[in-house]
Amino acid sequence: MPADGRARIRQTGAVRHAVWCPMAHAPSPITLDGSPISFATLARIGAGYAGIAVDPAGMARCAAGRHALEAVISSGRAVYGATTGVGAMKDREFRPEELDRFSAGLVRAHHFGTGEPFSADVVRMAMAMRVNTAMSGMVGCSTELVDAYLGLLRENVTPIVRRTGSIGCADIGLMGQIGAVIAGVGEAIHGGRRMTAEGALSAAGLRPLAMAPKDSLASIRINAIGYSASASALRAAAGAVRMLFATAVATAAAMGASRDPWEAAMYVGTPHERIAGAWLSAAASSFEWPDGTHIQDPLSLRMMAQVFAMVSDSLTAAGRTVVAATSRLDDNPVVIGNRVLTSGGSLPLDVAVAVQTVSLALAHAARNSFNRCVLIGNGGRRGLPINLVAPGAIATGFGPIIKLAGELFARVLTMAQPISAQSLVVAGGLEDEAAFLPLIVERLERQVDAIRRMAALEALLAAQAMDILGDRPEGVVAMVYRAARLHAAFLIEDRPLSADVEAIEAALASDAMVTELLTLAPMPEIDIFFALDPIWTKSVSA
């Protein structure tokens, strides 16, 4: 495995099992060899803008593991999920002539997810993770199963994976929907059309795979969907927090917050507090910063560096945990040498707890944002009027919309409550642990949506205050001001503000705005690690 802990990326045109996406100018393919996969590589895989190849040595390990499994089966020893039932039916052994029928039925029985489907990028990343961990040689699956996943990735056949149905102890009801498509049942997207799995495979020139013993179990009893959804949500959260950081500076500038606490953080803070303090100080020094502070500010302004540092800490810690999980074997059973061992590795508790920590951190960021909205809306600082009503205007102004900030904060806070320790017992008492990772991720996604809207609201309030005061910002603050004014005019008479907030939100999340932010005020520790630059999801050579 590479020393830097990332999946190797190299030219593999002559390598057996190389898989290419249909692109006019394809970048170098990504070679999966069982190493951890970085966020940048995951982004390319999810977007479908890079071919995927597997390491020949990894395929050799996969074949050796399969040979060892078959030897154990041939010896007459029962192998869970290969020659026996699963869950409460673990003691039911099948005769050799029954194994094909059992294997075919097992993957169909685990196609039970419901609701809205995951995005295509999450499904593509999950398939790549399954391939990657198979390179360990300890799964016991056939190389034909690996080739089947590669075929779906190569021909852009994306299984429909409905997102409700996993308790987070192997995503059996979610991964089962991918395994079903490989076997020719279920639904998939191909050529932009949703169709039956059989139709999608046929249109792509692929054939259903007859699952061999253990292949069905290998296709369902892993947490790849939970891990890929976690990676996607964490990357989105990092981008949203970076933009909230920018709108926070704009609000602070409009109120003339003191820069002293940010400078102090550069000397007395934790490592991330020093980074946040330096970023805030640099953003504030890009123009003639107004001064509205008498002695010291409210905590929501004074402690911005501490709040954003804590969010950054939790994000990077969770990100490292997810990256490690992309190469971790969570199958049961596993093949170790010539033995087949029962494993408890399918409990993704480390990822679940890490992602829940991010959810709690976002609640603190949301409270910090809400407090700034209240402060600026109250007026007073730098002579700002109450509700930011324009001088001489007959209007209610921005007082009512502060309630939106309160609702968004409450929304983020209520979704920060931990759920991974919830008691749950199924399968006749045999399965009594769970992590609920997919549900945790779904709640994080909703928090991210709320954070983005809070950033838009801060931008709108800051722009109104700056125009009242005649400020002429530059740098990051000017970027936020332009985004607000492009979609929302200076408020003189009361008007509906719903569309204004939504339009600003979309602008701040656009590729152009993200690129501008990363250029004007980079934060490499976050930007590079999470691959926030939109180039990672563009069809260009990386």
Side-chain angles (χ1 to χ4, degrees):
M1 295 183 185
D4 63 359
R6 297 174 298 173
R8 289 196 293 263
I9 303 174
R10 64 173 185 268
Q11 295 288 347
T12 54
V15 174
R16 212 163 52 87
H17 298 290
V19 180
W20 292 86
C21 292
M23 296 166 46
H25 302 288
S28 302
I30 294 162
T31 298
L32 300 175
D33 61 3
S35 301
I37 308 175
S38 70
F39 274 90
T41 301
L42 287 172
R44 293 175 61 202
I45 291 171
Y49 290 143
I52 297 176
V54 290
D55 181 53
M59 284 298 273
R61 290 191 294 270
C62 181
R66 179 67 191 181
H67 178 75
L69 176 79
E70 290 177 343
V72 171
I73 292 175
S74 297
S75 72
R77 178 183 168 187
V79 176
Y80 177 81
T83 64
T84 76
V86 297
M89 296 185 66
K90 64 181 177 64
D91 296 322
R92 166 74 186 275
E93 291 190 43
F94 296 96
R95 297 188 300 271
E97 63 271 20
E98 296 174 325
L99 292 182
D100 287 346
R101 185 175 178 184
F102 165 69
S103 296
L106 183 62
V107 73
R108 289 168 171 79
H110 288 86
H111 187 307
F112 57 79
T114 60
E116 291 296 314
F118 283 100
S119 61
D121 65 306
V122 167
V123 177
R124 287 182 58 83
M125 289 189 294
M127 292 193 289
M129 289 181 193
R130 170 69 289 182
V131 170
N132 194 50
T133 54
M135 295 298 96
S136 68
M138 294 184 283
V139 176
C141 68
S142 67
T143 55
E144 288 78 10
L145 179 64
V146 173
D147 284 332
Y149 281 105
L150 294 175
L152 297 184
L153 289 164
R154 179 187 67 239
E155 301 300 335
N156 288 320
V157 176
T158 305
I160 297 294
V161 180
R162 297 168 178 84
R163 67 182 305 154
T164 304
S166 173
I167 62 173
C169 191
D171 297 325
I172 56 176
L174 308 182
M175 290 301 294
Q177 297 173 66
I178 300 176
V181 169
I182 289 174
V185 294
E187 295 179 280
I189 299 289
H190 180 63
R193 294 173 50 224
R194 183 168 177 166
M195 61 185 77
T196 65
E198 185 179 20
L201 294 177
S202 177
L206 301 172
R207 299 176 62 181
L209 177 68
M211 296 280 189
K214 183 61 162 70
D215 278 355
S216 285
L217 191 64
S219 70
I220 63 175
R221 196 170 178 78
I222 51 174
N223 294 290
I225 282 286
Y227 294 153
S228 62
S230 295
S232 179
L234 288 174
R235 186 167 179 260
V241 168
R242 283 287 275 117
M243 196 57 72
L244 184 66
F245 212 176
T247 58
V249 172
T251 309
M255 290 189 283
S258 171
R259 294 169 289 177
D260 289 354
W262 307 339
E263 183 178 355
M266 296 167 57
Y267 296 95
V268 300
T270 67
H272 264 120
E273 287 174 4
R274 296 183 182 196
I275 292 170
W279 191 94
L280 286 164
S281 297
S285 66
S286 63
F287 67 104
E288 188 174 345
W289 188 269
D291 184 9
T293 296
H294 178 64
I295 301 181
Q296 65 180 12
D297 291 324
L299 298 181
S300 56
L301 297 176
R302 202 184 335 152
M303 296 181 174
M304 282 169 54
Q306 284 73 22
V307 171
F308 280 99
M310 175 273 307
V311 178
S312 298
D313 274 338
S314 65
L315 278 168
T316 52
R320 287 192 294 268
T321 303
V322 169
V323 168
T326 63
S327 67
R328 186 173 66 227
L329 201 67
D330 55 356
D331 290 79
N332 175 45
V334 294
V335 179
I336 307 296
N338 293 321
R339 298 186 298 161
V340 177
L341 305 180
T342 298
S343 171
S346 57
L347 183 67
L349 204 52
D350 59 338
V351 176
V353 171
V355 175
Q356 286 176 122
T357 302
V358 172
S359 287
L360 180 59
L362 289 184
H364 284 276
R367 183 181 66 183
N368 190 238
S369 175
F370 169 68
N371 289 339
R372 285 191 300 272
C373 289
V374 171
L375 281 174
I376 196 169
N378 285 344
R381 293 184 65 90
R382 298 182 65 204
L384 283 169
I386 295 175
N387 292 355
L388 303 179
V389 174
I394 301 175
T396 300
F398 289 88
I401 202 172
I402 301 301
K403 292 179 174 61
L404 171 61
E407 196 274 0
L408 291 169
F409 163 49
R411 184 178 293 263
V412 176
L413 179 63
T414 56
M415 287 182 283
Q417 303 304 313
I419 59 174
S420 61
Q422 175 66 43
S423 177
L424 186 74
V425 180
V426 295
L430 188 68
E431 299 172 4
D432 53 3
E433 284 286 349
F436 300 100
L437 180 58
L439 179 56
I440 290 168
V441 171
E442 183 176 339
R443 300 200 316 170
L444 177 61
E445 291 169 347
R446 293 178 182 176
Q447 286 182 301
V448 170
D449 289 341
I451 289 291
R452 285 174 171 156
R453 190 147 295 174
M454 294 191 83
L457 180 54
E458 279 207 63
L460 178 63
L461 296 173
Q464 180 76 6
M466 289 180 209
D467 280 343
I468 290 173
L469 297 167
D471 290 346
R472 293 294 179 264
E474 296 181 21
V476 173
V477 177
M479 178 199 77
V480 172
Y481 174 85
R482 288 196 308 272
R485 281 294 168 254
L486 184 62
H487 299 284
F490 179 64
L491 184 75
I492 299 176
E493 296 183 354
D494 289 326
R495 66 172 188 267
L497 296 174
S498 303
D500 290 1
V501 174
E502 291 172 352
I504 296 170
E505 178 186 348
L508 292 175
S510 68
D511 285 354
M513 193 66 66
V514 171
T515 299
E516 184 176 359
L517 173 61
L518 270 55
T519 301
L520 281 174
M523 190 176 284
E525 298 79 7
I526 299 295
D527 304 343
I528 295 175
F529 179 74
F530 286 104
L532 296 186
D533 193 323
I535 193 174
W536 291 109
T537 54
K538 298 298 181 186
S539 181
V540 295
S541 180

